Amino acid sequence: MQVYTKASQLASFWGQEIGFVPTMGALHPGHASLIAQARAQNQIVVVSIFVNPTQFAPNEDYQAYPRTLQADIALCESLGVDVLFTPEPAQIYPFGVLERITLQPPASLLGFEADMRPKHFDGVLQVVLKLFNLVRPKRAYFGQKDAQQLLIIQRMVADLFLDIEIMPCPIVRDDDGLALSSRNVYLNSEERATARKIPQALMYIQKAIQEGERDSAQLIALGLEVLQGLKVHYLSVCDRQLAPLAQIQPNQTLILCAVQVGAVRLLDNLWV
Ligand code: AMP
């Protein structure tokens, strides 16, 4: 495995069939599942680890974000990654972050995370487009865990005519059902026990749907019952354009959830 820190080093792989997995590191089995899928489908696998400053607000955890580079290198090596790209910000923002070109998602894809983190997706789009241009992948792998991010990136690819296949990957969960996230390390044991209610609420909703319930308000009420006492930022039923749905439409529905537990905002969702 090559570990590259300079943007220019990636050019040696251009033209090959590249599967790309962009991450912020502190890798866990959720990331590993994306990497394994990329490994199975491409000649060359490139993983990036870059904690992107422009997607963090000043009050957020950019400095404190978990960084576990040695363990990440070992994991990538064990998964057969060809290139691990770990740039410093100056490689990605050659003119400085204040002098960067900016991108924005359309208003219809905002709300949810963007209500809590107004500039977050601007930063995500900027860095993902830059990484796409540096890596030149045929396919790029993203987790359904970050559903809104995935939809916004799919829109960018379609709207800017990027010749890249976006490959959505299912959510990987811990044994207790909690969706894996690099930020789960911030939870103490009591918070961790509370956090389990999030997948429980979604499973409860899923069961009700399987039993025939279609009404969004009913389903949300069921979920909120399980989440009673927790600080729910949103629990919403919408379509794949993020427009609200009063009734479940099979294969077109997303149930999005964000809950504050201690210092951590936890995201989870169901693709129905
Ligand atoms: P991050 O390092 O948090 O920016 O995540 C990098 C990629 O891994 C994103 O596409 C995430 O959606 C994906 N990812 C993170 N956690 C999970 C998970 N539990 N299951 C599947 N994909 C995940």
Side-chain angles (χ1 to χ4, degrees), residues 175-195:
D175 293 341
D176 61 2
L178 185 65
L180 289 169
S181 161
S182 304
R183 289 191 171 99
N184 289 355
V185 296
Y186 296 148
L187 298 168
N188 65 31
S189 59
E190 197 183 317
E191 291 163 347
R192 175 82 203 200
T194 305

Side-chain angles (χ1 to χ4, degrees), residues 6-243:
K6 301 279 175 271
S8 59
Q9 291 173 295
L10 292 161
S12 56
F13 287 90
W14 288 353
Q16 301 195 59
E17 183 196 50
I18 297 173
F20 176 44
V21 184
T23 81
M24 297 206 300
L27 301 181
H28 54 63
H31 299 110
S33 75
L34 272 56
I35 296 170
Q37 196 176 324
R39 181 66 285 167
Q41 296 176 330
N42 301 277
Q43 212 178 349
I44 299 291
V45 175
V46 177
V47 174
S48 64
I49 294 180
F50 181 60
V51 183
N52 173 36
T54 69
Q55 68 192 66
F56 288 78
N59 62 330
E60 292 180 346
D61 59 343
Y62 173 65
Q63 295 296 343
Y65 193 84
R67 288 164 170 89
T68 59
L69 186 60
Q70 288 315 311
D72 293 351
I73 290 174
L75 180 71
C76 287
E77 192 120 46
S78 77
L79 291 167
V81 170
D82 297 292
V83 177
L84 179 60
F85 179 49
T86 61
E88 292 295 322
Q91 289 292 311
I92 300 298
Y93 297 99
F95 300 94
V97 293
L98 297 176
E99 289 290 324
R100 70 191 188 275
I101 300 279
T102 56
L103 286 168
Q104 282 177 5
S108 65
L109 294 178
L110 296 177
F112 303 104
E113 283 310 283
D115 285 341
M116 318 289 158
R117 313 180 72 189
K119 295 280 182 198
H120 172 68
F121 290 116
D122 300 10
V124 170
L125 287 182
Q126 289 148 22
V127 78
V128 169
L129 182 58
K130 283 167 173 278
L131 290 168
F132 282 174
N133 286 334
L134 290 174
V135 175
R136 303 198 184 175
K138 178 173 168 64
R139 304 185 182 89
Y141 296 79
F142 291 88
Q144 288 183 325
K145 154 99 186 339
D146 299 285
Q148 188 176 10
Q149 167 176 286
L150 172 58
L151 296 178
I152 289 173
I153 288 167
Q154 283 175 321
R155 174 66 68 86
M156 174 175 76
V157 165
D159 196 32
L160 300 186
F161 312 112
L162 303 183
D163 186 19
I164 297 172
E165 233 180 300
I166 300 299
M167 311 296 287
C169 302
I171 300 178
V172 177
R173 299 176 178 282
D174 227 328
D175 293 341
D176 61 2
L178 185 65
L180 289 169
S181 161
S182 304
R183 289 191 171 99
N184 289 355
V185 296
Y186 296 148
L187 298 168
N188 65 31
S189 59
E190 197 183 317
E191 291 163 347
R192 175 82 203 200
T194 305
R196 278 180 206 136
K197 290 190 182 167
I198 300 165
Q200 280 165 7
L202 291 177
M203 292 307 112
Y204 200 47
I205 290 174
Q206 191 164 44
K207 185 159 167 280
I209 294 171
Q210 281 160 359
E211 288 167 359
E213 182 62 72
R214 288 286 173 272
D215 185 72
S216 301
Q218 292 288 342
L219 291 164
I220 288 170
L222 284 176
L224 289 177
E225 227 171 90
V226 180
L227 296 172
Q228 231 169 36
L230 276 71
K231 193 167 171 204
V232 179
H233 286 170
Y234 53 80
L235 173 62
S236 308
V237 179
C238 56
D239 68 14
R240 306 282 166 91
Q241 267 40 257
L242 296 185

